[in-house]
Amino acid sequence: MTKSDGGFAGKVLRVDLSTGKISTQDTKEKYGAVLGGTGLGYQVLWEEVLPGTSAFDPGNKIVFATGVLAGTGVPCNGRTAVTCLFPTCWPRHLVGSGHMGGNFAAKLKYAGYDALIVEGKADRPVWLFIRDGRVELRDASHLWGSGIRRANLEISQEMGADCSVAAIGQAGEKLAPMAIVANSLSHSAGGVGGVMGSKNLKAIGVQGSGAVRIAGDKAEWEKLITFHLSILGGNNQHVVPSFPTPQSEYYNPGSRWVGEPGKRWGAADPPVEITGNIYDLNRIAYRTNSAAFFLGEGAWKHTVRGNGCTACPIRCHTVLKVPAVTTKYGIREVAQNTCAGLLFGRTFFNKLPGGFKGQTALEACMVGMHLADDLGVWCNYGQLQRDFLKLQREGLLKAKLGAAEYASIPWDKFESGDPAFLFDILPRIGERRGELGHVLSLGTGGLFSQWSISEEYWSQDPDAVYWKMGHPKHHANEDDGQCGVIINTQYNRDAQCHSHSNFVRNGLPLAVQKKLAAEIWGSPDAVDAVGDYTPMNVHKAKRAKWSLLRKELHDCLGLCNWMGPWVASPLKERGYRGDDSLESKFYSLATGQKLDREGLDRMGERIVTLHRALTMRDMGELNMRTRHDTVPPWVFEDLSGAAPFTKGTIRMDRADIGRAMDLFYEVMGWDKATGAPTAEAYARLGLTEVGTALQARNLVPKDRP
């Protein structure tokens, strides 16, 4: 390693489960051009996994990749990208990534590895022991059949308390497509647990005694970290509080910055009262309480603290203590999670006593977290629960299940909103018991195939929020009009992109957002008010491209796209500006390789384009516009009959979305007719060999006059 090689650990660890061979590669020599994270994963799949491979074939490879900034002092650096052929992608398995937080990425870097590539299949259950340069496959027969918590406990007892364990539960062992791998108990990557199970890999325990070296000036590094902290908001980079306060010029009731001074973490021992102001960098974690945001004021008295990932001061995982659940349901009184994971249990019900922000709802969340995080069941951004409710509401469960199985389900508990219902439904799914458990464990696409249900039927229902390829929308037109629609067309799973929504939902007044938009994307017309959309323009297309590049860059650098980008801030004296070059500044200081914002964005564009190429190759499809980048019918409908571009509706106009795709393909340098990257685009991004390989398969557009 040279002086300009800071940030990288230096090696990629490769484990062949079929042969037991363990080897390493030089990171920079082999994978330096893709930064790490998803980019490294895409390169491995492009070079080493054959088209037509199934997610559960031994030939599929699963890549746990950190980024250059993982394990450093950069705020929000705790992400690990887990890339493979994705088992819930329908009707064929294509490239996808799960993204987990926690401390796994940092521990892997401290052990000396930027990534772990797992290939083949063990002939018996194993777990992978990593302690610095010592790497071993160990027998996991005693752990097989147990949940994630037991695997964590026993491996931690064997390795030591300072290890990080990424494990699967029963769902992964049973090869459920809807399975997770989780580290730090509740930090999970959805959809990839079954791939680990198919390889007989129960868990990975990692312990490292090293550090990540920073190549640049240390004083400049610390100064930049302090600046980064100063422009942080709350969860999802909401930069104004949800309550009026003299410390802030603006407030917005929809903000996730709910930590009003005087609120208390009531279950802390002793209780902690929220204090501080926007300039107090040691009190940032007081701003966010996901439980209070989603479950209401009653959650404050049950809050122990915030929890989160390596070097994250926001701590979006809320730790809750609810003694009643031990008495009523026999589970631990403490649990933690955020967002959809926090709400896992609540969203299985149509109604709950006291409403969806009452005590029973809180108890349902606790039961859901306890069961799902242990069994290793994925909610697919809530699509699992929405599918279940739609199947029940429309009589499909009664029609499709045998009479005996249907009668065995405690529907009285479901109808009354009793959280005890979850003790029946979640183990069915996690253990793939019965027809219902099997079908729900497949994911939405598997449901279509198993029960001969048309995708068109599902995609017409706005309540199902199904998008395509077995996955739901993720911050689409309900948040960001055409920009959100474009982003939701691009991936083979839910988009997992927050770059755009974190900006439009940051809480600042529209006039301030437009001023920032003009500086970043060239026009105030790059952004609309939520639910008050105007016709498409090229600046929105540029913002859609920027959003995708930032999402992919964050997944490659190891940064959290839930908390960034940081283009807005709470600071009035900065005109509420953040810093759009923050990622490139950190990259330059960490590695010693000077790279400006535009240069880093080109690297991001290269990685986005490689994902596109890999998808096209494995689909065998040139016409991505009509065969991949599809939009569900519900996007073009409004139950009240409101016309597109009417204030208050999220309904899109078909012709306008067609124009949106035209403009997006144009700013990407892709062919408008097919949505495929051109030979020039591949060459411009240093992907000439990729373009040549696709050209041989007739997957590069012909030059048009």
Side-chain angles (χ1 to χ4, degrees):
M1 300 287 283
T2 67
K3 186 176 181 180
S4 63
D5 286 332
F8 292 98
K11 292 184 291 186
V12 170
L13 178 64
R14 187 179 288 265
V15 177
D16 187 332
L17 296 173
S18 296
T19 65
K21 180 181 178 181
I22 296 169
S23 59
T24 61
Q25 296 169 287
D26 183 89
T27 304
K28 290 292 294 297
E29 180 180 315
K30 179 67 177 173
Y31 301 110
V34 290
L35 296 176
T38 51
L40 195 154
Y42 300 158
Q43 183 172 334
V44 171
L45 265 62
W46 173 265
E47 294 177 347
E48 302 179 20
V49 178
L50 296 174
T53 302
S54 165
F56 298 138
D57 289 344
N60 188 18
K61 302 191 179 185
I62 184 166
V63 183
F64 295 79
T66 73
V68 174
L69 300 179
T72 69
V74 177
C76 312
N77 76 60
R79 305 298 287 179
T80 305
V82 190
T83 305
C84 59
L85 293 177
F86 217 67
T88 53
C89 182
W90 178 86
R92 61 174 59 82
H93 296 158
L94 300 170
V95 59
S97 290
H99 311 97
M100 61 182 182
N103 59 12
F104 185 87
K107 295 291 186 179
L108 192 63
K109 290 280 286 286
Y110 299 158
Y113 307 106
D114 294 298
L116 163 66
I117 302 170
V118 179
E119 54 194 31
K121 177 181 179 179
D123 58 8
R124 69 188 190 285
V126 297
W127 68 276
L128 182 62
F129 171 100
I130 304 171
R131 179 180 289 152
D132 296 327
R134 181 181 171 190
V135 182
E136 302 170 0
L137 287 169
R138 297 188 173 183
D139 182 66
S141 300
H142 63 297
L143 298 173
W144 205 255
S146 65
I148 289 173
R149 287 193 179 89
R150 182 186 159 202
N152 264 271
L153 176 63
E154 295 206 13
I155 292 174
S156 295
Q157 288 175 336
E158 186 169 339
M159 293 190 72
D162 64 334
C163 71
S164 180
V165 180
I168 61 172
Q170 293 91 332
E173 295 176 1
K174 297 286 187 179
L175 275 59
M178 292 288 287
I180 64 169
V181 57
N183 80 89
S184 308
L185 297 179
S186 64
H187 294 270
S188 62
V192 298
V195 180
M196 282 182 66
S198 73
K199 297 182 177 302
N200 277 329
L201 180 62
K202 177 66 177 179
I204 303 161
V206 59
Q207 200 171 42
S209 60
V212 179
R213 192 180 64 80
I214 303 304
D217 181 80
K218 304 305 185 290
E220 288 298 311
W221 176 261
E222 293 297 332
K223 181 179 177 181
L224 189 59
I225 287 175
T226 300
F227 167 73
H228 190 181
L229 291 171
S230 77
I231 63 171
L232 291 180
N235 187 209
N236 289 82
Q237 192 54 6
H238 291 189
V239 298
V240 304
S242 63
F243 48 87
T245 168
Q247 298 173 10
S248 179
E249 183 179 14
Y250 305 115
Y251 76 98
N252 190 309
S255 174
R256 298 191 185 194
W257 183 336
V258 297
E260 184 175 2
K263 297 290 186 185
R264 290 161 64 87
W265 291 348
D269 186 16
V272 173
E273 183 167 312
I274 303 301
T275 61
N277 58 56
I278 62 174
Y279 300 100
D280 191 341
L281 305 187
N282 291 318
R283 294 291 183 270
I284 292 174
Y286 284 175
R287 298 175 185 173
T288 290
N289 185 325
S290 294
F293 177 79
F294 287 111
L295 288 165
E297 289 295 301
W300 280 106
K301 70 179 181 180
H302 295 288
T303 299
V304 178
R305 59 185 172 89
N307 196 12
C309 311
T310 304
C312 182
I314 294 169
R315 322 304 284 174
C316 74
H317 276 229
T318 305
V319 181
L320 295 170
K321 183 177 182 180
V322 185
V325 298
T326 301
T327 304
K328 292 182 180 180
Y329 310 110
I331 64 173
R332 291 184 67 227
E333 63 182 6
V334 176
Q336 65 176 27
N337 220 304
T338 190
C339 196
L342 173 72
L343 304 178
F344 203 111
R346 188 187 82 175
T347 45
F348 267 101
F349 297 95
N350 286 315
K351 60 181 179 180
L352 288 162
F356 285 100
K357 292 193 174 182
Q359 179 66 21
T360 302
L362 177 62
E363 293 175 7
C365 290
M366 294 290 289
V367 173
M369 286 186 278
H370 172 82
L371 291 170
D373 287 347
D374 197 39
L375 290 161
V377 176
W378 186 36
C379 72
N380 196 9
Y381 201 51
Q383 193 64 35
L384 170 66
Q385 293 92 327
R386 289 189 294 272
D387 287 347
F388 168 75
L389 292 174
K390 183 175 173 66
L391 289 166
Q392 171 61 9
R393 181 174 64 248
E394 300 184 5
L396 290 169
L397 289 182
K398 195 167 189 177
K400 297 290 185 179
L401 297 177
E405 182 175 354
Y406 186 81
S408 73
I409 300 168
W411 294 114
D412 56 331
K413 290 184 173 63
F414 169 75
E415 295 294 345
S416 65
D418 183 349
F421 174 72
L422 300 170
F423 286 96
D424 180 89
I425 190 70
L426 282 173
R428 286 181 191 251
I429 300 168
E431 297 167 3
R432 307 190 79 177
R433 285 196 275 112
E435 179 74 1
L436 178 61
H438 173 68
V439 168
L440 290 180
S441 77
L442 294 173
T444 311
L447 165 69
F448 298 156
S449 297
Q450 186 76 11
W451 280 352
S452 300
I453 296 172
S454 74
E455 183 182 32
E456 182 182 11
Y457 173 60
W458 231 248
S459 63
Q460 289 176 339
D461 184 351
D463 292 330
V465 299
Y466 174 80
W467 196 273
K468 64 164 188 169
M469 302 180 82
H471 296 279
K473 64 91 181 167
H474 200 124
H475 297 295
N477 51 309
E478 85 288 358
D479 270 333
D480 202 7
Q482 301 98 329
C483 188
V485 169
I486 291 168
I487 288 165
N488 274 261
T489 64
Q490 292 303 293
Y491 287 95
N492 305 318
R493 56 160 297 171
D494 64 309
Q496 286 285 289
C497 180
H498 301 87
S499 311
H500 59 308
S501 57
N502 286 2
F503 182 78
V504 298
R505 293 286 190 180
N506 65 25
L508 290 170
L510 181 62
V512 178
Q513 290 185 351
K514 282 185 170 292
K515 183 176 180 180
L516 296 177
E519 296 174 0
I520 302 168
W521 302 294
S523 170
D525 296 332
V527 63
D528 291 323
V530 175
D532 190 9
Y533 301 126
T534 60
M536 185 62 186
N537 62 65
V538 70
H539 304 289
K540 292 182 184 180
K542 291 178 179 178
R543 190 161 66 85
K545 175 181 177 179
W546 173 91
S547 299
L548 286 167
L549 299 192
R550 278 298 186 278
K551 173 258 192 298
E552 212 61 71
L553 284 171
H554 290 168
D555 289 341
C556 292
L557 294 168
L559 298 178
C560 181
N561 190 246
W562 280 12
M563 303 307 160
W566 297 275
V567 294
S569 79
L571 304 180
K572 181 179 179 181
E573 61 268 28
R574 287 184 56 85
Y576 301 102
R577 294 173 184 84
D579 189 339
D580 191 32
S581 62
L582 193 63
E583 296 90 340
S584 61
K585 289 176 179 176
F586 274 124
Y587 175 87
S588 298
L589 281 171
T591 64
Q593 301 171 0
K594 184 67 176 177
L595 196 65
D596 60 14
R597 182 194 64 188
E598 291 77 11
L600 190 61
D601 279 354
R602 279 193 296 274
M603 295 181 76
E605 187 174 356
R606 185 180 192 273
I607 294 160
V608 169
T609 305
L610 180 58
H611 177 277
R612 188 73 162 183
L614 184 55
T615 300
M616 292 173 60
R617 184 198 69 177
D618 290 0
M619 287 181 69
E621 182 60 60
L622 174 66
N623 193 349
M624 296 290 278
R625 180 166 191 152
T626 59
R627 299 297 301 276
H628 182 277
D629 299 351
T630 55
V631 180
W634 62 262
V635 169
F636 304 110
E637 298 170 1
D638 186 292
L639 295 179
S640 69
F645 310 124
T646 301
K647 187 174 183 178
T649 185
I650 64 170
R651 179 184 180 186
M652 298 282 100
D653 177 79
R654 286 186 183 274
D656 186 70
I657 290 299
R659 173 169 166 73
M661 298 308 298
D662 282 346
L663 291 171
F664 173 70
Y665 296 142
E666 189 173 294
V667 300
M668 290 296 297
W670 297 353
D671 177 57
K672 285 196 290 186
T674 62
T678 63
E680 187 280 330
Y682 288 121
R684 174 172 55 86
L685 296 169
L687 293 169
T688 300
E689 291 184 3
V690 171
T692 300
L694 291 182
Q695 214 155 21
R697 295 171 177 264
N698 296 315
L699 296 178
V700 175
K702 306 292 185 186
D703 290 335
R704 301 178 189 276

